[in-house]
Amino acid sequence: MCGVFGYIGGPRAASIVLEGLRKLEYRGYDSFGIAALGKTLHVAKRQGRIPEEGFDIRGLAGNAAIGHTRWATHGVPNDTNAHPHLDCTGKIAVVHNGVIENFAVLKRQLQERGHRFLSDTDTEVIAHLIEEVYEGDLPAAVNAVLPALEGSYAILALAKGDKRIVAARNRSTLVIGIGDDALFAASDMTPILEHTRRMVVLEDGDVATLAPASVCITNGGAPVDREEEIVQWSVEDVRKGGFRHFMLKEIFDQPAVFSEAVRALRNEELPGIIRDAGRVTIVACGTSYHAALVFRYLLEEKCRVPARVEPASEFRYYPPPLEGLVIGISQSGETADTLTALQMAKARACPTLAIVNVVGSSITRLADASLFMNAGPEISVAATKSFVAELAVFLHLVDVLKGGACAYELDSAHLAIEEALLLDLTPAVACCRDATDIFFVGRGPFYPIALEGALKMKETSYIHAEGYAAGELKHGPFALLSPETPVVAICVPGETYGVMASNIREMKARGTPLIVLGQKDDRDMQEISDVFIPLPFAESIAGLLSATVIMQLLAYHTADALGRDIDRPRNLAKSVTVE
Ligand code: F6R
């Protein structure tokens, strides 16, 4: 996600901010920029990463500066869309983390009043709104503008002629750091920690005015006291939000990721090509491929749209006869096999849709239309929150195609994720950690969840794990079942409950340690299993999400118990840009 950092104090403001932006790099970004205020206001910004050397900030003199690392949401990553953004006069500079949900309306109104926009971002409206009311008092101008903004923001603003930084927060973290002779404002504590451990966390609606030697916080125009904290965390602790690994942080981010994906999509027009799709082919790799398999069940069962799912690496060399819409699903938007598969689909004149997390990535540039997951940057190599965001996108599509059929799930599924996060998996981890092989089984849409559970287990813990459609075990893999081979089985109410229960009994007869994910009050499964994990909301689509979270946590804690390098498993890369 984007990061903001501001500094006011000594004369090296721009270089302190540039160093601070480097500390925010872990949040993921595609461009960066700085505005510094001395006698005049100077801006430097650029697409790409902050170079080790060669980014010239000598022109950025002044003792106040604000900076930004951008993770594109509105407009592709390029120099123009990078923050800071300026008003028409070039006297006001703004950086922003969050989303201004009503920016399109505001932009139209501002254009009608003669404002010229340079970027495609939502943020630029803030600079122009401030311009309209600025009369030499920046805090007053920012306070006057905030009621017009709907959405989330951590904003930092500078104005030529006003020697202060103004910071404002709504639903997006903003921390003020208090040094001996300097003040800081940032999206999190990371860039502040090396300067001071004295911090104040702003609350929603707060506006902080940072002058060289004083900070004043108001809310709704009235001064407020916010408690100062002395932070003891290390920089590394803060980067992971207190979690020991990014994977765990990203798993815990999922209730918010799900809700944010849904919120963002509901504000968008669905591309016509999906509404008109009579037949769909989906291409993806790895975790995104497993998500695509869930999508197929949803499309076929709920919308009666025939769907075919192909691993992109196979599709490339053995393309099926193509007809209808081709959808590529990719967190990174850079996976070579998925990109090539979409190129081939285009060459065969099929309409193409990308479902992607990274805005401006290669796959989005290629496809006819794109939908975004809005999951924020995924740092851990093992994909977790992007899978949940992908499911949110699919549910939204089905909901639109079927006139509100999934509205309840879209509004409530984050609760199932939250409940799953609270489960104690210690007995299940004890059962897995000494195993050399583990099977994961499910039926219907829970079969891809089993595949994903096995993938998470093998890539993070290095324990050999296989996902199977439960009925397939007896066609060969049964030969491997033994008291040393745990099976993780998902057994939910519904049409296949009876047959799944029989499969589980057959496994039990082979002495297999059984970890069963089932409905809370399922006595039979509680008795037969060695470890029973109650699935929050087992019966509904929310069960898919809670089972996913349990699989992720089981893999994570097993890998942790084994001391693995969880965020960077051996031999793996986050973005696979080679075939
Ligand atoms: C597994 C994992 C990979 C990716 C795969 C596709 O945890 O991360 O299997 O899912 O490399 O990546 P994207 O979705 O970026 O195309």
Side-chain angles (χ1 to χ4, degrees):
M1 282 296 174
C2 302
V4 301
F5 181 47
Y7 164 90
I8 184 161
R12 290 180 50 248
S15 75
I16 289 171
V17 168
L18 188 66
E19 282 317 303
L21 294 185
R22 288 189 205 280
K23 303 277 180 335
L24 290 171
E25 282 185 333
Y26 78 94
R27 296 164 71 100
Y29 70 112
D30 48 52
S31 42
F32 68 98
I34 297 179
L37 183 65
K39 287 202 181 71
T40 186
L41 186 66
H42 293 285
V43 173
K45 55 186 190 171
R46 193 193 274 188
Q47 182 193 348
R49 299 183 70 79
I50 304 169
E52 279 312 315
E53 285 163 29
F55 186 63
D56 191 357
I57 52 166
R58 278 171 304 181
L60 300 184
N63 69 348
I66 56 176
H68 190 263
T69 50
R70 176 169 189 253
W71 166 261
T73 56
H74 293 69
V76 297
N78 60 24
D79 290 355
T80 314
N81 287 334
H83 299 211
H85 291 287
L86 301 178
D87 68 323
C88 298
T89 66
K91 287 183 182 159
I92 290 154
V94 174
V95 294
H96 162 224
N97 175 22
V99 176
I100 304 301
E101 288 165 15
N102 59 337
F103 91 98
V105 178
L106 294 172
K107 184 169 178 174
R108 210 171 30 252
Q109 291 167 348
L110 284 157
Q111 283 170 326
E112 280 163 13
R113 297 200 291 268
H115 291 266
R116 283 172 295 104
F117 279 76
L118 300 179
S119 77
D120 302 319
T121 65
D122 52 338
T123 302
E124 196 179 340
V125 297
I126 305 171
H128 292 281
L129 286 171
I130 295 175
E131 175 192 351
E132 290 197 329
V133 292
Y134 180 63
E135 289 175 352
D137 182 351
L138 186 60
V142 171
N143 268 304
V145 159
L146 293 181
L149 304 179
E150 288 169 20
S152 56
Y153 49 78
I155 297 168
L156 302 181
L158 282 175
K160 190 177 162 193
D162 191 317
K163 296 192 173 95
R164 297 175 286 185
I165 294 176
V166 178
R169 167 197 165 138
N170 189 47
R171 287 170 28 212
S172 194
T173 306
L174 196 49
V175 182
I176 306 296
I178 302 165
D180 290 339
D181 41 24
L183 291 163
F184 308 83
S187 303
D188 64 46
M189 299 168 190
T190 330
I192 302 178
L193 264 177
E194 70 183 81
H195 302 283
T196 176
R197 292 186 175 271
R198 294 172 58 200
M199 314 258 180
V200 174
V201 180
L202 295 186
E203 294 184 12
D204 284 347
D206 282 357
V207 175
T209 303
L210 280 56
S214 68
V215 56
C216 165
I217 304 173
T218 59
N219 194 306
V224 285
D225 274 336
R226 298 282 174 236
E227 202 179 329
E228 185 183 312
E229 294 168 42
I230 308 295
V231 176
Q232 299 301 345
W233 288 4
S234 70
V235 172
E236 199 54 21
D237 284 341
V238 177
R239 278 157 45 107
K240 293 174 188 147
F243 290 96
R244 292 186 43 238
H245 298 98
F246 281 113
M247 181 177 174
L248 192 59
K249 175 181 184 297
E250 286 161 7
I251 291 172
F252 273 78
D253 280 347
Q254 292 178 123
V257 164
F258 185 87
S259 301
E260 176 55 21
V262 173
R263 187 206 60 74
L265 286 163
R266 280 176 168 165
N267 283 337
E268 261 181 55
E269 188 65 31
L270 198 63
I273 49 174
I274 179 106
R275 284 186 190 277
D276 305 335
R279 179 174 286 277
V280 170
T281 304
I282 311 170
V283 289
C285 297
T287 291
S288 294
Y289 171 72
H290 296 153
L293 292 172
V294 178
F295 194 19
R296 183 184 70 195
Y297 282 98
L298 295 173
L299 277 175
E300 295 194 331
E301 192 193 304
K302 301 222 179 271
C303 307
R304 314 309 299 167
V305 171
R308 169 176 191 145
V309 184
E310 296 290 331
S313 53
E314 286 292 299
F315 179 99
R316 176 174 181 10
Y317 294 102
Y318 306 97
L322 276 182
E323 197 190 322
L325 177 65
V326 178
I327 304 179
I329 303 172
S330 172
Q331 184 285 129
S332 60
E334 300 295 344
T335 300
D337 287 320
T338 311
L339 186 65
T340 313
L342 282 184
Q343 270 160 352
M344 290 170 65
K346 278 200 93 164
R348 287 169 168 70
C350 293
T352 51
L353 173 73
I355 298 179
V356 167
N357 193 31
V358 180
V359 175
S361 54
S362 306
I363 289 177
T364 64
R365 287 202 289 268
L366 175 77
D368 298 317
S370 300
L371 285 175
F372 293 100
M373 302 172 198
N374 286 292
E378 195 172 56
I379 311 279
S380 165
V381 165
T384 53
K385 64 176 180 174
S386 58
F387 183 82
V388 157
E390 284 165 352
L391 297 194
V393 176
F394 306 154
L395 284 171
H396 171 76
L397 290 177
V398 171
D399 188 60
V400 176
L401 293 175
K402 285 301 287 176
C406 301
Y408 175 74
E409 280 86 358
L410 286 167
D411 288 331
S412 63
H414 63 284
L415 299 173
I417 304 175
E418 275 167 19
E419 275 200 40
L421 290 172
L422 300 177
L423 293 168
D424 177 11
L425 300 182
T426 315
V429 172
C431 195
C432 291
R433 59 171 291 172
D434 296 323
T436 47
D437 306 280
I438 307 175
F439 285 101
F440 289 76
V441 296
R443 281 177 176 263
F446 287 92
Y447 163 46
I449 305 296
L451 289 174
E452 179 59 8
L455 177 62
K456 288 289 91 80
M457 183 60 85
K458 66 185 124 190
E459 67 182 333
T460 58
S461 73
Y462 310 155
I463 296 173
H464 171 239
E466 295 295 334
Y468 270 94
E472 282 296 298
L473 274 200
K474 59 166 107 43
H475 298 287
F478 256 39
L480 295 175
L481 294 189
S482 75
E484 280 74 52
T485 321
V487 175
V488 181
I490 311 170
C491 183
V492 290
E495 206 190 334
T496 58
Y497 177 84
V499 69
M500 188 71 194
S502 315
N503 295 151
I504 289 173
R505 282 197 188 88
E506 289 156 9
M507 295 171 212
K508 182 77 178 173
R510 271 81 190 166
T512 302
L514 276 172
I515 301 170
V516 177
L517 280 63
Q519 196 173 33
K520 260 202 248 334
D521 51 5
D522 187 335
R523 284 279 167 77
D524 279 354
M525 286 302 125
Q526 284 170 16
E527 274 166 27
I528 197 170
S529 56
D530 296 273
V531 178
F532 181 77
I533 304 176
L535 257 184
F537 307 93
E539 277 175 272
S540 60
I541 281 171
L544 290 171
L545 289 156
S546 49
T548 301
V549 173
I550 292 166
M551 297 293 187
Q552 296 167 343
L553 286 171
L554 182 59
Y556 171 82
H557 289 299
T558 305
D560 194 31
L562 294 169
R564 304 301 190 220
D565 187 359
I566 294 184
D567 286 331
R568 287 182 301 271
R570 66 188 180 205
N571 306 335
L572 298 180
K574 184 68 189 156
S575 184
V576 185
T577 52
V578 289
E579 277 178 33

